[in-house]
Amino acid sequence: MPTPKRIAILGFSLETNAFAPVCDEPEFRERGLYYGAEINDAARRPNPIIGGGICGFYKIMDERQSWEPVPIVFAAAHPNGPAAQPFFDHLLATMRDGLNAGGKLDGVYICEHGAGLATKDDDPDGTIFSLVRAAVGPDVPVIATLDLHANVSKEMLGSTDVMIAYLTNPHVDSYERGVEAAECMIEMLAGARPKAASIRLPIVAPTVTLLTAEGFPYGDIIRRGQALVGPDIMNVSITAGFAFSDLERAGMTITVTAREDEAKARAAARDLAIACWDDRARYQTRLVGLEASTQQALAVARDSSQPNLLFCDPADNPGGGGRGNTTYVLKAFVEAGVTDAVFGVFNDAVLVETAFQTGLGRQFQATFNSAETNEFSLPFAANVTVDKLSDGEFVGEFGMVAGNTVRLGRSCVLALGGIRIVIISVRQQCLSNDYFTHFGLDAASARVTVVKSRGHFRAGFQHLFPPERIVEIDAPGLTSPNLINFPWKNLPRPVYPMDPETQWVPPPA
Ligand SMILES: [Zn+2]
């Protein structure tokens, strides 16, 4: 029997919106904070909550490799502001201690988002990757999975052997990328020594334009990259970055990892970068103004012969750091008299508690956002009826939460005129129709559905709404796709498409 390979498991998963408030340990506990052996249990349980990459990694390693996981720490929060530095420092110390706890490590798997900020570190992901490399030395395989919104830094690139980014947006392949990470790890344990090359383009695209379905430029370039994967090329990862992190290193980044020959990685990265740049004009938004959206909602609510519509509010996307509680759309739809509508999910823990105290079937004067002070999270008062009360926990059936346990915290449904609103306590985006059916509502039968999400909802509603029946509303918010309106401090300018005059010259062949 060969000695089992000892592989350290760790990760930090935070997509930081620099304009959102600081997040701390409670926000990580809310989504997932696992120490040591807790990671093993979470990765191997049915209907997991932990990051899909870890589950995929464990599955393949368990099946194909004699190995001993050395689980250290995994911390994931819903997209938010920067991580509080003391908590991040605590995570770093935990990682350092775990990596140095004794016993030689044969490899490290890092399950990372890649678009994090801490309050005093503008590259916490790079800090973690460097720490790992320093602890294990140059010869031990270090493999990371990343969200495709990662803002890849030199430190991240220089400290890993392979970086594997998601290929899908909505992200429905995090598990598969964990599988791929395990396959690369097994290859490296058998002696492979891959080499990577990376090119950044001055393209910072609004996230609504970064879908990977047919017909979208980002999907096209990702597919073009995947066609190169084969005996010479181990991985192609095209990370679009996350504009709202407001970083100098923002921008579409093409990273190619060759099995042996770095020149092949460089050539492939260059070809893809040129193709991506030549296609840049297609990264344009298709938002519909609030007034026009309201009229569309009213029209389908009044005329049942028209197909029902799904409206999304990308400017208040909790999946990008939005607070999930702006009332622009709700107020406009209520005042216009839109009926037969479901609206989800609205983040307001105070309102949920008031609903619980009021009781099922009873009316009360609700104030949305009584506790929030964000400039976009304006209060809104209305007379409502408590339609449903729930612990807010279910296993999803559709899209990104299929097979996963979802925790919304204590939740309720409030009826306001002809609109039923799902209110939650743990801020997150509405990822699928499960977020309605759990409460006895259904987007399939509602005339009008409104979701607070930028694009991940699409995977969880695609069986009900083809793209032409989805309306992206242009309302104010922390995650508005109108990037030109934000007070950027660090984003490199000029940058496409904000600055149409942006130039780029390919590196020499
Ligand atoms: Zn993402």
Side-chain angles (χ1 to χ4, degrees):
M1 271 287 281
T3 317
K5 300 293 186 188
R6 301 181 73 245
I7 311 295
I9 310 288
L10 55 87
F12 169 71
S13 181
L14 173 67
E15 182 179 75
T16 297
N17 183 321
F19 305 102
V22 171
C23 69
D24 210 336
E25 184 171 349
E27 284 75 28
F28 283 88
R29 289 217 172 272
E30 219 169 58
R31 178 143 191 206
L33 180 55
Y34 303 85
Y35 291 98
E38 291 171 0
I39 298 176
N40 293 349
D41 299 338
R44 289 165 171 153
R45 66 163 260 179
N47 307 127
I49 309 170
I50 200 167
I54 290 187
C55 299
F57 188 85
Y58 269 72
K59 179 80 162 55
I60 297 304
M61 293 299 282
D62 283 346
E63 280 176 10
R64 301 189 202 162
Q65 175 72 46
S66 166
W67 80 306
E68 179 196 336
V70 182
I72 298 174
V73 63
F74 178 70
H78 291 291
N80 215 326
Q85 195 65 39
F87 176 67
F88 182 68
D89 289 342
H90 151 76
L91 290 177
L92 283 179
T94 307
M95 289 173 183
R96 191 179 296 114
D97 291 350
L99 291 163
N100 297 321
K104 183 188 171 297
L105 291 168
D106 298 295
V108 182
Y109 168 54
I110 309 176
C111 185
E112 200 86 350
H113 182 287
L117 293 176
T119 48
K120 292 183 181 158
D121 184 346
D122 74 0
D123 186 14
D125 304 297
T127 301
I128 289 172
F129 289 20
S130 308
L131 179 148
V132 168
R133 181 54 82 196
V136 300
D139 299 325
V140 169
V142 176
I143 298 175
T145 48
L146 297 175
D147 192 287
L148 54 70
H149 293 107
N151 297 309
V152 171
S153 69
K154 283 201 185 75
E155 285 67 27
M156 291 163 72
L157 193 64
S159 301
T160 45
D161 294 288
V162 193
M163 287 196 305
I164 300 168
Y166 299 164
L167 303 175
T168 59
N169 186 18
H171 309 326
V172 291
D173 68 330
S174 60
Y175 180 91
E176 285 75 12
R177 300 290 70 77
V179 165
E180 187 181 344
E183 289 168 347
C184 292
M185 182 63 77
I186 291 167
E187 224 179 301
M188 287 198 70
L189 291 172
R193 283 296 171 265
K195 312 249 179 341
S198 189
I199 296 178
R200 175 168 302 124
L201 289 166
I203 297 176
V204 173
T207 44
V208 286
T209 70
L210 292 169
L211 299 171
T212 54
E214 292 291 337
F216 285 90
Y218 191 39
D220 289 348
I221 194 68
I222 285 177
R223 281 182 284 277
R224 189 167 172 150
Q226 289 312 294
L228 303 176
V229 174
D232 293 335
I233 303 296
M234 181 183 255
N235 178 272
V236 176
S237 288
I238 305 181
T239 41
F242 185 60
F244 297 116
S245 301
D246 191 14
L247 288 168
E248 208 181 320
R249 65 175 181 277
M252 186 80 76
T253 302
I254 290 138
T255 305
V256 178
T257 307
R259 284 201 158 73
E260 289 173 9
D261 187 349
E262 194 176 342
K264 286 184 175 153
R266 272 201 307 273
R270 183 179 184 276
D271 289 350
L272 288 167
I274 291 170
C276 187
W277 180 252
D278 288 347
D279 203 26
R280 64 192 180 282
R282 291 171 66 210
Y283 290 88
Q284 300 295 341
T285 59
R286 309 171 195 185
L287 305 176
V288 179
L290 183 54
E291 176 57 32
S293 303
T294 307
Q295 291 309 316
Q296 269 184 286
L298 206 50
V300 296
R302 285 177 178 165
D303 179 1
S304 61
S305 70
Q306 291 187 39
N308 60 348
L309 293 178
L310 188 157
F311 297 79
C312 76
D313 184 4
D316 186 30
N317 171 28
R323 309 330 283 166
N325 63 7
T326 68
T327 53
Y328 303 101
V329 179
L330 179 63
K331 194 161 176 281
F333 281 24
V334 167
E335 287 174 0
V338 174
T339 53
D340 210 349
V342 294
F343 188 109
V345 288
F346 192 97
N347 170 45
D348 193 332
V350 175
L351 194 49
V352 170
E353 288 317 307
T354 310
F356 268 83
Q357 282 159 20
T358 304
L360 199 59
R362 306 181 80 142
Q363 291 193 358
F364 71 104
Q365 181 71 14
T367 303
F368 296 79
N369 294 331
S370 60
E372 188 77 30
T373 54
N374 186 278
E375 62 173 304
F376 297 110
S377 307
L378 304 174
F380 171 56
N383 198 25
V384 300
T385 306
V386 182
D387 204 46
K388 197 95 184 173
L389 298 168
S390 165
D391 66 356
E393 182 161 331
F394 57 87
V395 174
E397 249 188 90
F398 297 102
M400 284 173 60
V401 292
N404 290 3
T405 300
V406 177
R407 289 179 177 160
L408 305 175
R410 294 232 294 182
S411 304
C412 66
V413 175
L414 299 180
L416 167 48
I419 303 177
R420 282 186 165 73
I421 312 153
V422 178
I423 321 274
I424 61 168
S425 318
V426 175
R427 186 184 59 89
Q428 58 200 282
Q429 65 186 304
C430 181
L431 285 172
S432 69
N433 197 30
D434 302 308
Y435 291 64
F436 293 115
T437 54
H438 171 70
F439 297 93
L441 306 175
D442 194 351
S445 52
R447 299 297 305 146
V448 170
T449 297
V450 184
V451 296
K452 284 195 178 287
S453 175
R454 177 270 311 161
H456 286 336
F457 70 89
R458 287 171 184 266
F461 287 95
Q462 63 183 4
H463 59 299
L464 301 177
F465 297 94
E468 63 273 16
R469 282 202 277 131
I470 294 173
V471 180
E472 293 175 333
I473 307 178
D474 190 0
L478 266 181
T479 58
S480 164
N482 297 317
L483 299 185
I484 200 77
N485 295 339
F486 285 81
W488 306 107
K489 285 198 195 111
N490 305 310
L491 216 61
R493 304 295 288 271
V495 76
Y496 197 85
M498 270 192 283
D499 308 307
E501 75 279 12
T502 310
Q503 302 283 320
W504 177 74
V505 179

